Amino acid sequence: MAPVILFPAIDLKNGECVRLLRGDMAQATVFNTDPAAQARAFADQGFEYLHVVDLDGAFAGVPVNAEAVRRILSGLTMKMQLGGGVRDMRTVRGWLESGVTRVIIGTAAVHDPDFVREAARLYPERIAVGIDARDGRVAVDGWAKTSDVSALELGRRFEDVGVAAIIYTDISRDGALAGLNIASTVALAEALTIPVIASGGLASIEDIRRLTEPDCGRLAGAIVGRALYDGRLDPREALAILRASSAAV
């Protein structure tokens, strides 16, 4: 059994690494002014897959922090998935050709599902869908608006089209260190064949141990942000627990 992938997160705002509280751009804490250096630090800690979001791009609908992303890529020694402002095939192609392993499509998955299907057809296993939910409904445009589409309904639109993963974020927990919403994330994973990655709220080593319990067996990964930046989570201990759990199966 493959270990649960733990993705360290870099959220970009004005070219800096920040963390938001429940997606509120007005509540941004800057943790590093050099995203490329932060990416190198995560690699040195033993992480193998980086999660990056262009927050400004998510609001604007086009990439905004492209230069910061390119600096990250220039010295990157691990895989990287990238979202934020991905609304057309040119952007998908550009990022994949620049060295991004996997591109995340969020808002466009709600408004233009055919775009996701075509991207997954052209780039199999290199397209992920970001499902960011508020009270079970999918939020769009940088989480500024809430649609009428449920998380499960959106996920089912992309069954059997070659999507690599769904990244499910509970907005109410994101940046709040409230713990992962295991119940909702596992329920989504069990209802779909697409691998699901948990996001929003991971706060402690107890959350890491929770990911090793049997009911989380269908989860492909989890994203961690603030808990790493403020030292609540020891990255090497977390990775060791996940690897040991995988080896024991």
Side-chain angles (χ1 to χ4, degrees):
M1 177 180 174
V4 172
I5 299 171
L6 191 60
F7 297 81
I10 290 179
D11 287 357
L12 297 169
K13 183 176 185 288
N14 299 326
E16 300 174 324
C17 296
V18 307
R19 298 303 298 168
L20 305 183
L21 179 60
R22 300 184 180 94
D24 185 350
M25 289 286 270
Q27 297 192 62
T29 303
V30 177
F31 282 99
N32 198 325
T33 58
D34 187 342
Q38 184 63 63
R40 290 192 296 271
F42 284 146
D44 290 344
Q45 290 167 352
F47 291 102
E48 298 178 356
Y49 214 134
L50 181 66
H51 174 81
V52 179
V53 176
D54 179 349
L55 294 173
D56 299 300
F59 278 90
V62 293
V64 174
N65 288 285
E67 182 55 39
V69 173
R70 282 191 283 269
R71 288 199 301 271
I72 292 171
L73 286 167
S74 68
L76 199 64
T77 57
M78 55 179 161
K79 295 178 180 179
M80 175 175 140
Q81 61 184 20
L82 171 68
V86 180
R87 309 285 170 84
D88 56 44
M89 202 65 72
R90 179 181 178 183
T91 302
V92 171
R93 181 170 57 252
W95 283 134
L96 292 177
E97 291 178 352
S98 295
V100 173
T101 308
R102 191 155 70 193
V103 169
I104 305 163
I105 300 174
T107 293
V110 176
H111 297 317
D112 189 3
D114 286 340
F115 161 54
V116 177
R117 296 184 185 104
E118 179 65 5
R121 184 187 69 80
L122 292 172
Y123 305 103
E125 299 304 314
R126 299 191 70 186
I127 303 299
V129 172
I131 298 181
D132 307 321
R134 183 182 287 115
D135 298 324
R137 298 289 167 179
V138 179
V140 296
D141 297 327
W143 301 355
K145 303 173 184 175
T146 303
S147 73
D148 293 327
V149 181
S150 73
L152 179 56
E153 179 186 351
L154 184 59
R156 282 178 170 161
R157 290 180 182 177
F158 305 114
E159 288 276 66
D160 303 318
V161 302
V163 168
I166 283 174
I167 299 162
Y168 177 74
T169 302
D170 182 336
I171 295 172
S172 69
R173 294 172 182 245
D174 193 68
L177 298 169
L180 292 167
N181 187 339
I182 293 294
S184 294
T185 310
V186 167
L188 184 65
E190 290 178 343
L192 301 173
T193 60
I194 306 168
V196 174
I197 297 167
S199 175
L202 199 157
S204 67
I205 207 69
E206 284 71 30
D207 289 321
I208 298 296
R209 292 194 180 98
R210 181 70 180 85
L211 290 168
T212 68
E213 295 181 13
D215 63 328
C216 291
R218 289 211 14 93
L219 299 184
I223 293 167
V224 57
R226 188 178 292 269
L228 280 178
Y229 288 101
D230 69 10
R232 293 169 187 259
L233 186 71
D234 182 304
R236 290 182 172 83
E237 182 183 6
L239 291 169
I241 288 171
L242 293 175
R243 287 167 183 156
S245 174
S246 171
V249 175

